[in-house]
Amino acid sequence: MIERKISTGALGKVTTEKALNLAVALKFGAYIEENLPDVKVIYTRKTDKFIELSERANIANRNNADVFVSIHCNSTETPNSASGAETFVMGESKNEKNLAVAKKENAAILLEDNTDAYDNFDPNSTEAYIIFSLTQSLYQSQSLDLAGKVQNQFGKKVGRHDRGVQQAGFLVLWKTAMPSILVELGFINNNKEEQFLNSEKGQTQMALALYRAFEEYKREFESENHTSGQPEVSEKPANSNVGNTYFTVQFASRDKKVASTNKAFSGVKEVDVYEYNGAFRYVSGKFTSKDAATKRQNELRSLGYKDAFVVAFVNGERGTIKQAEEALKK
């Protein structure tokens, strides 16, 4: 899933953030489509029509995206005073700089007609971010992994000043139900960086860096998934007539294993658990169709598990939605 900011955004001397984001996003997507034919690339938009921040996450969730990448450019109040690329994940703003970046990106909701989706969040209120920062993604470790790979590519392969992996409260990442990152390609009001990012060479190099990071992340994920993605024996039977290839709905994750009968899961049908990437993942049901699993997902969300999402197992191991669909057709 590739998301690009489509409001005008920050301004440079000769171009706009909107134009640079689009150019790099389209190149990034094209590299994936050309070299990774098993990956479906979804853009939030390919036109300049403004899309609400919450809807960008909704698009990713509706399509059961495996990764969400939001592409932006940075700016400062004093031109040419800062440089470099950085990548953010959802988390607590550790310093004023990170908070300022988040405030600037979140200010896009002021262009929206309806802000109910943000629970009356005020993008200009520092106090609001204190509460907002308590939100922790189930996918923070995976997001940090991908973000680190992106920064490694920007620094070592493209030669950009490495501003590191950061955490801050970004509304566009808030409700994504998958590993998600927000990339700041550089400072558009730094003359030298704007010139680089506005060039064919610069856009190609940044898009290639994103592609290489994604390809490495995908390769490692699939390798780990093949060896350690097998679910544990269910503590509570779940649709025993379903074979080893099925869809299920993940609704919770814990660092330490708890019983499926724990009162925290009250009201959830057919609780099962499997260990993956150092955490215990809790799922509900086993289904031979994605549509049936989506109905369970909606049930779980109505119970308060707002980040519940459909996952797939193929021959007893964690796989992709596409792999399960193809296997079940045979």
Side-chain angles (χ1 to χ4, degrees), residues 261-318:
T261 54
N262 190 286
K263 63 180 181 180
F265 304 143
S266 177
V268 179
K269 305 174 185 175
E270 304 169 337
V271 178
D272 203 352
V273 58
Y274 70 100
E275 187 175 2
Y276 182 70
N277 277 353
F280 295 96
R281 319 289 179 165
Y282 291 84
V283 295
S284 173
K286 292 182 180 179
F287 307 94
T288 55
S289 76
K290 181 182 167 186
D291 287 344
T294 300
K295 289 182 180 179
R296 178 62 57 84
Q297 171 188 280
N298 293 335
E299 292 175 8
L300 288 164
R301 289 183 177 180
S302 70
L303 290 173
Y305 297 98
K306 300 300 183 184
D307 294 326
F309 64 101
V310 176
V311 296
F313 283 88
V314 180
N315 294 325
E317 297 182 350
R318 177 78 179 265

Side-chain angles (χ1 to χ4, degrees), residues 58-96:
N58 290 340
I59 291 171
N61 293 337
R62 285 197 299 268
N63 286 278
N64 294 297
D66 296 305
V67 172
F68 182 84
V69 179
S70 186
I71 299 174
H72 299 251
C73 289
N74 216 331
S75 66
T76 61
E77 294 182 359
T78 53
N80 300 311
S81 64
S83 65
E86 59 192 334
T87 303
F88 287 85
V89 303
M90 183 66 189
E92 181 181 359
S93 300
K94 300 293 185 180
N95 52 51
E96 288 299 320

Side-chain angles (χ1 to χ4, degrees), residues 37-172:
D38 61 320
V39 176
K40 180 180 180 181
V41 179
I42 301 168
Y43 300 86
T44 52
R45 284 286 180 173
K46 289 187 176 181
T47 69
D48 289 335
K49 182 179 178 181
F50 178 75
I51 304 173
E52 297 179 349
L53 297 185
S54 61
E55 177 59 14
R56 303 176 197 185
N58 290 340
I59 291 171
N61 293 337
R62 285 197 299 268
N63 286 278
N64 294 297
D66 296 305
V67 172
F68 182 84
V69 179
S70 186
I71 299 174
H72 299 251
C73 289
N74 216 331
S75 66
T76 61
E77 294 182 359
T78 53
N80 300 311
S81 64
S83 65
E86 59 192 334
T87 303
F88 287 85
V89 303
M90 183 66 189
E92 181 181 359
S93 300
K94 300 293 185 180
N95 52 51
E96 288 299 320
K97 176 185 74 67
N98 291 3
L99 180 60
V101 175
K103 283 185 175 181
K104 180 183 67 177
E105 301 295 356
N106 291 340
I109 70 170
L110 299 177
L111 301 174
E112 301 180 15
D113 296 327
N114 184 1
T115 59
D116 291 344
Y118 309 106
D119 299 332
N120 297 315
F121 179 82
D122 181 357
N124 295 317
S125 169
T126 300
E127 290 75 16
Y129 283 86
I130 296 174
I131 300 174
F132 187 49
S133 67
L134 298 177
T135 301
Q136 294 295 324
S137 170
L138 292 173
Y139 305 94
Q140 189 174 54
S141 63
Q142 292 156 284
S143 299
L144 287 168
D145 180 33
L146 176 58
K149 288 176 168 51
V150 168
Q151 285 303 122
N152 183 62
Q153 289 290 333
F154 284 162
K156 294 184 178 180
K157 298 294 185 179
V158 190
R160 311 313 296 165
H161 171 55
D162 182 5
R163 295 175 65 88
V165 174
Q166 312 290 342
Q167 296 186 37
F170 290 96
L171 288 169
V172 74

Side-chain angles (χ1 to χ4, degrees), residues 201-314:
K201 177 182 177 181
Q203 292 167 8
T204 297
Q205 287 185 343
M206 296 302 277
L208 274 172
L210 288 169
Y211 166 73
R212 287 191 294 260
F214 172 75
E215 189 278 332
E216 181 184 3
Y217 172 86
K218 177 179 181 291
R219 179 166 21 92
E220 290 183 1
F221 175 87
E222 290 176 343
S223 176
E224 293 173 1
N225 179 58
H226 180 73
T227 58
S228 62
Q230 189 167 356
E232 298 180 359
V233 176
S234 174
E235 296 184 57
K236 183 177 180 181
N239 297 4
S240 58
N241 60 319
V242 176
N244 289 328
T245 297
Y246 56 88
F247 301 98
T248 185
V249 182
Q250 185 169 311
F251 64 92
S253 178
R254 298 286 188 274
D255 291 334
K256 295 182 179 180
K257 186 177 180 181
V258 298
S260 62
T261 54
N262 190 286
K263 63 180 181 180
F265 304 143
S266 177
V268 179
K269 305 174 185 175
E270 304 169 337
V271 178
D272 203 352
V273 58
Y274 70 100
E275 187 175 2
Y276 182 70
N277 277 353
F280 295 96
R281 319 289 179 165
Y282 291 84
V283 295
S284 173
K286 292 182 180 179
F287 307 94
T288 55
S289 76
K290 181 182 167 186
D291 287 344
T294 300
K295 289 182 180 179
R296 178 62 57 84
Q297 171 188 280
N298 293 335
E299 292 175 8
L300 288 164
R301 289 183 177 180
S302 70
L303 290 173
Y305 297 98
K306 300 300 183 184
D307 294 326
F309 64 101
V310 176
V311 296
F313 283 88
V314 180

Side-chain angles (χ1 to χ4, degrees), residues 165-185:
V165 174
Q166 312 290 342
Q167 296 186 37
F170 290 96
L171 288 169
V172 74
L173 304 180
W174 179 26
K175 292 187 177 181
T176 53
M178 71 284 302
S180 304
I181 62 173
L182 185 147
V183 178
E184 297 282 3
L185 298 171

